[in-house]
Amino acid sequence: MNGSIYERELLNILSGNIKTIEKIGKNLDPVSRDILYSLISKPFYVSRTAGSFGADLISLRDDYSMVIEVKSSEREQLTFSESSGVKQEQAIKLNNRCINSGLFITYAYRLKGVKGDPWRFFSIE
């Protein structure tokens, strides 16, 4: 599946899209479901900014903002090591741009084919 599908899925979740939240929420425990459903009443403004070596989403709200790079895989771990060095170079460039702006990059990692919450969020040092 193309990664842009997951970018759109996360955009819809953070934007408080009821259909997407209900679809994801049906597989969650009650506490996680309540947290997810809170996005309906207090959504983010999300802009998709996909492009080479740039963040995929910018998510803003009065109390929080995120510069988000979306990755997806069937593997439990997201690895940045590869012979070409493309992922490492992208991570360093994004991180440096965010640091210079007083922000930090958030990685949204979408696990394919899992039960429960398929999304994992983390940042790099």
Side-chain angles (χ1 to χ4, degrees):
M1 223 181 250
N2 187 322
S4 65
I5 291 170
Y6 298 121
E7 291 169 16
R8 287 183 181 92
E9 179 183 78
L10 185 56
L11 182 148
N12 284 326
I13 291 167
L14 294 172
S15 298
N17 180 283
I18 293 170
K19 285 184 180 182
T20 305
I21 288 174
E22 287 176 343
K23 178 182 172 190
I24 297 290
K26 68 183 177 184
N27 297 318
L28 300 179
D29 63 86
V31 173
S32 297
R33 189 178 311 115
D34 288 346
I35 293 168
L36 179 66
Y37 273 74
S38 72
L39 289 168
I40 294 170
S41 61
K42 193 167 183 179
F44 284 86
Y45 171 82
V46 185
S47 179
R48 191 163 175 260
T49 60
S52 296
F53 296 104
D56 295 317
L57 301 172
I58 305 294
S59 182
L60 306 168
R61 199 167 66 183
D62 66 337
D63 60 343
Y64 202 76
S65 62
M66 293 181 283
V67 177
I68 304 169
E69 176 67 19
V70 178
K71 300 291 183 190
S72 61
S73 179
E74 293 176 350
R75 294 182 297 184
E76 279 287 321
Q77 265 186 333
L78 172 61
T79 58
F80 290 93
S81 59
E82 57 183 20
S83 60
S84 70
V86 173
K87 287 182 183 176
Q88 300 94 317
E89 182 182 329
Q90 180 188 36
I92 291 167
K93 283 183 179 182
L94 278 172
N95 194 42
N96 288 339
R97 288 179 66 194
C98 287
I99 288 170
N100 290 338
S101 302
L103 302 168
F104 64 93
I105 186 74
T106 301
Y107 278 84
Y109 188 48
R110 174 52 157 85
L111 290 168
K112 299 176 183 178
V114 299
K115 292 189 186 247
D117 186 2
W119 288 98
R120 307 294 182 263
F121 293 86
F122 63 94
S123 62
I124 57 175
E125 293 182 17

